């Protein structure tokens, strides 16, 4: 009887693997890596959410759930391409703030609009009720994996 509970495990694994095979996160958009576009979007949304003009590397790191060195590497690339600027805090020179340039603001706005339109299309395709259910289920799946990660022994 307990085996019936797990008969869909292979189908579930295949469903998750389909997303990995799509390569939707690996392609470049507007000449940027998807991770760089996500950073621009996180800066834009963080600024809107918190009413601040810029974010610290630490703020971005927490929001994107990546390490500070990873953020610093992306920031350096985005600075070189003219999408963001780094300025030192006037009170504490050890803290720097990352701010979108006009070019970065424009691209972030395009990315947010594209994402919102994609998900609006999904709502139209699936319907509101199924979409609401999917959102709840995906949040539960996320919580499960977060809990699983939190209970993993640290690598040495």
């Amino acid at each position: 009887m307990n085996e019936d509970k797990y008969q869909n495990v292979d189908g579930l694994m295949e469903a998750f693997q389909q997303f990995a095979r799509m390569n939707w996160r690996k392609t470049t958009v507007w000449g940027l890596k998807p991770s760089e576009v996500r950073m621009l979007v996180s800066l834009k949304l963080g600024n809107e959410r918190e009413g601040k003009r810029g974010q610290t590397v630490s703020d971005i790191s927490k929001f994107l759930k990546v390490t500070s060195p990873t953020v610093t590497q992306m920031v350096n690339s985005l600075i070189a391409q003219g999408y963001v600027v780094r300025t030192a805090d006037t009170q504490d020179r050890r803290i720097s703030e990352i701010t979108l340039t006009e070019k970065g603001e424009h691209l972030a706005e395009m990315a947010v609009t594209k994402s919102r339109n994609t998900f609006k299309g999904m709502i139209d395709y699936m319907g509101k009720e199924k979409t609401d259910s999917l959102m709840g289920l995906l949040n539960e799946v996320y919580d499960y994996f977060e809990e699983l990660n939190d209970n993993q022994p640290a690598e040495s």
Side-chain angles (χ1 to χ4, degrees):
M1 178 151 185
N2 206 16
E3 283 301 309
D4 289 345
K5 178 177 170 180
Y6 301 112
Q7 75 184 43
N8 289 337
V9 73
D10 291 336
L12 190 56
M13 288 170 55
E14 177 62 25
F16 274 86
Q17 288 171 358
Q18 288 180 92
F19 287 99
R21 286 194 299 264
M22 283 180 70
N23 276 342
W24 59 313
R25 296 183 69 202
K26 294 182 181 118
T27 56
T28 58
V29 183
W30 301 298
L32 296 175
K33 297 174 189 167
S35 58
E36 293 172 331
V37 174
R38 278 193 304 278
M39 178 177 291
L40 294 176
V41 168
S42 76
L43 281 166
K44 178 172 180 43
L45 297 178
N47 295 349
E48 290 172 1
R49 187 178 55 251
E50 297 168 25
K52 298 191 313 191
R53 182 148 157 65
Q55 304 284 313
T56 66
V57 167
S58 177
D59 293 336
I60 299 166
S61 174
K62 287 177 192 161
F63 185 79
L64 293 177
K65 295 184 181 348
V66 296
T67 65
S68 290
T70 299
V71 170
T72 299
Q73 188 177 12
M74 284 191 284
V75 165
N76 290 339
S77 172
L78 291 169
I79 288 171
Q81 296 176 74
Y83 291 106
V84 299
V85 292
R86 179 187 292 127
T87 53
D89 187 284
T90 52
Q91 265 69 45
D92 187 344
R93 307 270 313 154
R94 295 170 298 174
I95 298 173
S96 60
E97 198 171 69
I98 312 305
T99 309
L100 291 168
T101 62
E102 191 174 313
K103 180 181 174 182
E105 180 73 35
H106 177 70
L107 196 131
E109 183 59 43
M110 287 180 9
V112 167
T113 299
K114 182 179 179 188
S115 289
R116 286 184 175 140
N117 287 339
T118 297
F119 285 100
K120 284 178 182 177
M122 189 172 74
I123 292 168
D124 290 341
Y125 181 80
M126 293 177 56
K128 184 179 178 343
E129 191 175 313
K130 280 186 180 178
T131 306
D132 288 347
S133 293
L134 177 62
M135 189 170 49
L137 291 168
L138 288 173
N139 284 325
E140 283 184 54
V141 169
Y142 178 82
D143 291 343
Y144 166 74
F145 282 114
E146 279 289 291
E147 202 172 293
L148 196 64
N149 285 339
D150 290 345
N151 293 328
Q152 292 290 326
E155 291 183 25
S156 50

